[in-house]
Amino acid sequence: MKISIIIPAFNEERLLGGTLARVQSARVAFGQFAWESELIVCDNNSTDRTAEIARAGGATGVSEPVNQIALARNRGAEVATGDWLLFIDADSHPSAALFAEVAEQIQAGHCLAGGCTVRLEDGYPLANFFTGFWNFLSRSQRLLAGSFIFCETAAFRKIGGFNNELFAGEELDLSKRLRQLAREMGCEVVILHRHPLVTSARKVRL
């Protein structure tokens, strides 16, 4: 089994290095299952040191000249060689425990795709309320947060990946199509919650 970890990045020189370090630490969980993994960063037309930092962090670098996250994710998936794809945002910090839970779901054999709940890195009461509400919707409706999505590669390619026509909500569209395919195949889309993904609160600060 091989997992392709894909990180889309636009002008992420400030946060990408920390994310790559956390991903490198977390991916040892796949090694414990005797699985291979690769790390791909898609530079989405950055004007800063994003591409340089990606290389220094041990990632394979690819580029997408059009500034759109769906295109960047799909470009990363194009070069991926893994049996499963794992998309992570450049401002998020996964744990080894979360990666291990992903591996457990894959190994169980009934999961076609999945996501996880999220937790903001800083304490913003109102933002935490809305994050909690999103987590509730995510778990109850099996909606995938764009910051963390894992999916069988064959399924991702069968449905055509992310919709390149969408500039927002592309993860919700993907969720809908994956749920439909899962029903047809007798599989499921899961939302993990024991080890939430820690993600940046920079949008709240802005």
Side-chain angles (χ1 to χ4, degrees), residues 10-23:
F10 169 66
N11 286 350
E12 292 285 3
E13 66 176 5
R14 189 172 68 85
L15 297 177
L16 182 59
T19 294
L20 292 175
R22 297 295 285 270
V23 169

Side-chain angles (χ1 to χ4, degrees), residues 2-36:
K2 184 175 182 180
I3 309 296
S4 296
I5 304 166
I6 300 166
I7 301 176
F10 169 66
N11 286 350
E12 292 285 3
E13 66 176 5
R14 189 172 68 85
L15 297 177
L16 182 59
T19 294
L20 292 175
R22 297 295 285 270
V23 169
Q24 293 286 22
S25 295
R27 68 193 286 202
V28 300
F30 296 133
Q32 293 172 355
F33 286 76
W35 293 0
E36 296 180 65

